[in-house]
Amino acid sequence: MTPPRRMTLKDLARELGVSTASISNAFNRPDQLSPTLRERILSEAARLGYSGPDAKARSLRTGRSRIIAVVLAESLTYSLNDAVASEFLSGVAEVLDAHGHTLLLLPGRGHDSQPAGSANIADGFIVYGLMPNNQLLNRLPAQRPIVSVDFDVDDCPTVHIDDSEASYHIACHALKQQPRRPAIINLRLTKEACNGRVTPEHTLLPNTSTISRARLEGFHTALSEHGLDTQQVPLWNIEENTFEVCGPVLAELLDQPEHQRPDLLLCMSDRIALTALTLAEQRGIRVPEDLRITGFDGIAEGQYRAPRLTTVRQDSEGKGRVAAQMILGLLPAEQQLLKTELLLGDTCP
Amino acid sequence: MTPPRRMTLKDLARELGVSTASISNAFNRPDQLSPTLRERILSEAARLGYSGPDAKARSLRTGRSRIIAVVLAESLTYSLNDAVASEFLSGVAEVLDAHGHTLLLLPGRGHDSQPAGSANIADGFIVYGLMPNNQLLNRLPAQRPIVSVDFDVDDCPTVHIDDSEASYHIACHALKQQPRRPAIINLRLTKEACNGRVTPEHTLLPNTSTISRARLEGFHTALSEHGLDTQQVPLWNIEENTFEVCGPVLAELLDQPEHQRPDLLLCMSDRIALTALTLAEQRGIRVPEDLRITGFDGIAEGQYRAPRLTTVRQDSEGKGRVAAQMILGLLPAEQQLLKTELLLGDTCP
DNA sequence: CTGTTAGCGCTTTCAC
DNA sequence: GTGAAAGCGCTAACAG
């Protein structure tokens, strides 16, 4: 009885009485051998159960794996359940797939740990939404292309949107109605973990390169231009963009006495806005009459419902596509700024 | 000027004047060398920019890549935007990550195409929601572990839920209220693509091993037991579990004359149920007074809203965890049947 | 504890 | 066209 070892290219060559080079060529370079021989090799290979060159050996030999890794800021568990991150991955996957590449998912886990050893099998890295100071970047294998998304890294091509401009625009729209008590609900704005009202004790993350600060800046500019004192506008913060974490914070906010409760919520994500909307509905607070709400992201969930969310649509899938194209060299490796669009829904008409 | 070639283990060995084995051991087997030497090697490696053994070479040598592939039924673009699939992937990722493995995503694309060449780098495969007749299975490299999820494959460990039982239970609950015109909204039930009412012209997919048929069977059993003629209960079908595809079908259903419009929708997914709910709200159809709706899956979106969806919760993340544990050999490779739970929401109290 | 060495399976010159 | 041979970077036996 023969050992049940997986058949190798060499085995097949011996079996067919041809050289290993011909087998290799049959699979990789059709022009290097006669069609007849190629046919014979391919059909015999199928018959004998040889399913093509081993990817491990091939990638060692050629130096390329046809695998692109996406490094996600948060844990995979979180990212995969976040609509924005999922859409982004969709876009990446679509392009990679169309070009015969596959997608390896790497967690950014913690703040400065090593990426898994198998990470460096990838031909290139797309780094999504990581904090700029994250050590992880330096730990990625050098010499291989990196594209960063949603934040700037030195000497690294980037794809992102103009967060402060988009925030400015949606805030301007919301402020047309002259709110008496606007509030801003931030996402990961503070250095210390904070789920609730932001107080003077909290320090904010650096105002360069963090999404939250850019969006906050846009909101503040709009508020100032409308004659409001930004110091007077309460800031709330949320650490994680999930129902579970948003819920209690927004409940606390909405359960304030009515004369104190905000009448406009500028939210930094659709998830936050949708949670606010649900909780308002449960409390009989009318949207938009008693409370106007704006979101950010434009996820499907906010648009296929009644009332529809007023928000900024960012093309996350498009971001993914551009990032993938850049990493594959199909697009020049430069800064790419994607457009956003104001979606006028029912929560802040 | 030295060539900018990536530093190899051998280079480092020469540089430090030690053997390659020691370098390798420093990274892989701490007990095989003195702590002093190990420290020196590690720190020098960091200083000289050697970021550890190359994954391609290592995997060729050891035969293992520490990469597990998940083969998704649909395109990645679709799967990543589907809450159920995303939750499943979350569960897989969580376990893999905890055990130093990484996740490679493979599209099932089409019905019988080759998996990408780089696929066979994986140490094992988790096959999610594929049709049982899919050729893809045979194309996966032999000799490597496979776990299938949500459908049965010969000689292949599987994790799934009892779809027909769960459907039976939720239908029994819904039928307590004696609906006059129940309808069933299926997901991929017919052989031919069909978005709308299922007619006698349509042939259904085989009743073995397809989720839809199992769920339909559960619904039918419950209907019969409640004295209803299953032949009289209209079947509708939807091909893709997205807002875009569900919308028109459910609009057509809801826009029927009132005396003809169903007063109970047994939906095969939460996405379908949520779309029905939104469209009903837009039309002023009261839920649950005029129309009761049940879903299937128990996604967060259906629970963190008002009214809450009545549905069956299946633990997709748990499925992912179990599948990952099986593929890593942490759990015996056998049939695993996960529990489901009836969630009584507001759409069918 | 350390060093030498033989491949893992493949691709790709290069000579025929 | 085809075949022989070198070696991608690493690990694990084994010998010292």
Side-chain angles (χ1 to χ4, degrees):
Chain A
M1 185 183 155
T2 59
R5 194 171 52 80
R6 217 173 101 78
M7 174 173 280
T8 72
L9 181 148
K10 209 186 221 166
D11 299 335
L12 183 60
R14 193 175 336 97
E15 204 82 32
L16 299 192
V18 299
S19 82
T20 62
S22 294
I23 309 281
S24 176
N25 285 332
F27 281 96
N28 302 316
R29 299 156 35 155
D31 51 315
Q32 297 295 302
L33 75 177
S34 67
T36 331
L37 179 57
R38 183 174 135 88
E39 264 319 307
R40 184 164 83 92
I41 291 176
L42 259 34
S43 69
E44 285 295 282
R47 196 175 63 76
L48 296 170
Y50 177 71
S51 45
D54 177 76
K56 300 196 254 301
R58 189 220 287 262
S59 68
L60 173 59
R61 177 61 229 236
T62 62
R64 303 185 334 113
S65 61
R66 304 196 136 242
I67 289 174
I68 299 293
V70 173
V71 185
L72 291 157
E74 319 281 331
S75 70
L76 296 185
T77 300
Y78 169 80
S79 298
L80 287 166
N81 285 313
D82 181 69
V84 181
S86 292
E87 270 184 39
F88 172 78
L89 288 174
S90 287
V92 172
E94 185 187 321
V95 171
L96 293 187
D97 195 28
H99 292 85
H101 285 245
T102 43
L103 177 56
L104 187 69
L105 254 32
L106 299 177
R109 55 165 126 185
H111 277 286
D112 45 26
S113 65
Q114 288 282 11
S118 52
N120 74 13
I121 207 158
D123 292 340
F125 296 86
I126 296 174
V127 183
Y128 179 75
L130 223 53
M131 302 303 276
N133 55 351
N134 198 305
Q135 299 288 339
L136 190 61
L137 268 187
N138 313 322
R139 308 273 170 90
L140 291 181
Q143 315 273 358
R144 259 171 281 184
I146 298 181
V147 170
S148 72
V149 178
D150 276 354
F151 68 103
D152 295 312
V153 174
D154 301 341
D155 310 324
C156 176
T158 303
V159 24
H160 54 172
I161 58 170
D162 191 334
D163 285 285
S164 81
E165 194 202 51
S167 302
Y168 170 77
H169 282 306
I170 194 168
C172 284
H173 166 75
L175 293 172
K176 279 181 203 150
Q177 305 289 326
Q178 311 260 20
R180 279 166 307 172
R181 291 179 304 280
I184 298 174
I185 324 296
N186 300 276
L187 185 58
R188 275 181 240 105
L189 178 71
T190 55
K191 197 163 180 181
E192 309 83 12
C194 162
N195 283 300
R197 181 82 182 259
V198 178
T199 67
E201 272 78 64
H202 291 104
T203 49
L204 307 193
L205 287 173
N207 68 355
T208 157
S209 311
T210 63
I211 299 178
S212 311
R213 285 302 294 270
R215 293 188 188 170
L216 182 58
E217 187 190 305
F219 288 155
H220 275 173
T221 306
L223 287 164
S224 298
E225 285 186 7
H226 284 75
L228 290 157
D229 180 1
T230 58
Q231 299 293 320
Q232 301 298 320
V233 176
L235 297 179
W236 294 69
N237 188 62
I238 285 174
E239 288 295 323
E240 199 184 78
N241 200 36
T242 59
F243 288 112
E244 289 79 2
V245 177
C246 292
V249 178
L250 292 163
E252 184 189 340
L253 183 152
L254 294 175
D255 287 338
Q256 295 175 99
E258 193 169 338
H259 65 275
Q260 211 176 316
R261 192 216 295 149
D263 60 348
L264 170 64
L265 300 182
L266 299 169
C267 304
M268 284 203 186
S269 79
D270 281 0
R271 172 64 56 230
I272 298 174
L274 286 167
T275 308
L277 181 53
T278 300
L279 296 183
E281 284 171 344
Q282 286 174 352
R283 284 160 176 71
I285 301 171
R286 294 170 308 161
V287 176
E289 293 81 357
D290 304 333
L291 176 64
R292 275 170 304 125
I293 302 176
T294 67
F296 201 110
D297 291 334
I299 64 178
E301 187 180 340
Q303 299 306 306
Y304 291 88
R305 76 185 309 292
R308 260 177 45 246
L309 208 56
T310 296
T311 191
V312 171
R313 175 177 142 73
Q314 62 168 319
D315 184 5
S316 299
E317 206 167 305
K319 267 193 204 167
R321 278 193 296 263
V322 169
Q325 284 163 341
M326 281 173 57
I327 211 80
L328 295 181
L330 305 169
L331 231 46
E334 59 191 25
Q335 305 293 331
Q336 291 267 1
L337 202 62
L338 267 57
K339 290 256 183 306
T340 57
E341 180 191 0
L342 186 58
L343 296 182
L344 291 180
D346 311 309
T347 61
C348 182
Chain B
M1 183 183 157
T2 58
R5 192 172 54 79
R6 217 173 101 81
M7 174 173 279
T8 72
L9 181 148
K10 210 187 224 166
D11 298 335
L12 184 61
R14 195 174 336 97
E15 203 81 31
L16 299 193
V18 299
S19 80
T20 61
S22 294
I23 309 280
S24 176
N25 286 332
F27 281 96
N28 301 318
R29 299 157 36 157
D31 52 315
Q32 298 295 301
L33 76 175
S34 68
T36 330
L37 180 55
R38 183 173 135 89
E39 264 319 307
R40 185 164 83 92
I41 290 175
L42 259 34
S43 70
E44 285 296 282
R47 195 175 64 75
L48 296 171
Y50 177 72
S51 44
D54 178 76
K56 300 196 254 300
R58 189 220 286 262
S59 68
L60 173 58
R61 178 59 231 238
T62 62
R64 305 186 332 116
S65 61
R66 305 196 134 244
I67 290 174
I68 299 293
V70 173
V71 185
L72 292 157
E74 320 281 330
S75 70
L76 296 185
T77 301
Y78 169 81
S79 298
L80 287 166
N81 284 313
D82 181 68
V84 181
S86 292
E87 269 184 41
F88 172 77
L89 288 174
S90 286
V92 173
E94 185 186 321
V95 171
L96 293 187
D97 195 29
H99 292 85
H101 285 244
T102 44
L103 177 56
L104 188 70
L105 254 33
L106 299 177
R109 53 164 128 185
H111 277 286
D112 46 25
S113 66
Q114 287 282 12
S118 52
N120 74 13
I121 206 159
D123 292 340
F125 297 84
I126 295 173
V127 183
Y128 180 74
L130 223 52
M131 301 303 276
N133 55 350
N134 197 306
Q135 300 288 340
L136 189 61
L137 268 186
N138 313 322
R139 309 273 171 89
L140 291 182
Q143 315 273 359
R144 259 172 279 183
I146 299 182
V147 169
S148 73
V149 177
D150 276 354
F151 68 102
D152 295 312
V153 174
D154 301 342
D155 310 324
C156 176
T158 303
V159 23
H160 54 173
I161 58 171
D162 191 334
D163 284 285
S164 81
E165 193 203 50
S167 302
Y168 170 76
H169 281 308
I170 194 168
C172 283
H173 166 75
L175 294 172
K176 280 182 204 150
Q177 305 290 324
Q178 310 259 21
R180 277 164 311 171
R181 291 179 303 280
I184 297 174
I185 325 296
N186 300 277
L187 184 60
R188 276 181 239 104
L189 177 71
T190 55
K191 197 163 180 180
E192 310 84 12
C194 162
N195 283 299
R197 180 83 183 257
V198 178
T199 67
E201 270 80 64
H202 292 103
T203 49
L204 308 193
L205 286 174
N207 68 356
T208 157
S209 311
T210 64
I211 299 177
S212 310
R213 285 302 295 271
R215 293 188 189 169
L216 182 57
E217 187 189 305
F219 288 155
H220 275 173
T221 307
L223 288 164
S224 298
E225 286 187 7
H226 284 74
L228 291 158
D229 179 3
T230 57
Q231 298 293 322
Q232 301 298 319
V233 175
L235 296 179
W236 293 69
N237 187 61
I238 285 174
E239 286 296 324
E240 199 184 78
N241 200 35
T242 59
F243 288 113
E244 290 80 1
V245 177
C246 293
V249 178
L250 292 162
E252 184 189 340
L253 183 152
L254 294 175
D255 287 338
Q256 296 174 98
E258 194 169 335
H259 65 274
Q260 211 175 315
R261 191 215 297 149
D263 59 348
L264 170 64
L265 300 181
L266 298 170
C267 304
M268 283 203 188
S269 79
D270 281 359
R271 173 64 57 232
I272 297 174
L274 286 168
T275 308
L277 181 53
T278 300
L279 296 183
E281 283 172 345
Q282 285 173 354
R283 284 160 174 71
I285 301 172
R286 292 171 308 162
V287 176
E289 293 81 357
D290 303 333
L291 175 66
R292 274 170 304 126
I293 302 176
T294 67
F296 202 110
D297 290 335
I299 65 177
E301 188 180 340
Q303 299 307 305
Y304 291 88
R305 75 182 311 290
R308 260 175 47 244
L309 209 56
T310 296
T311 190
V312 171
R313 173 176 143 74
Q314 63 168 317
D315 184 5
S316 299
E317 207 167 303
K319 267 192 203 167
R321 278 192 297 262
V322 170
Q325 285 163 340
M326 279 171 61
I327 210 80
L328 294 181
L330 304 170
L331 230 47
E334 58 191 27
Q335 305 293 332
Q336 291 267 358
L337 201 63
L338 267 56
K339 291 256 184 306
T340 57
E341 180 190 0
L342 185 59
L343 295 182
L344 292 180
D346 311 310
T347 61
C348 182

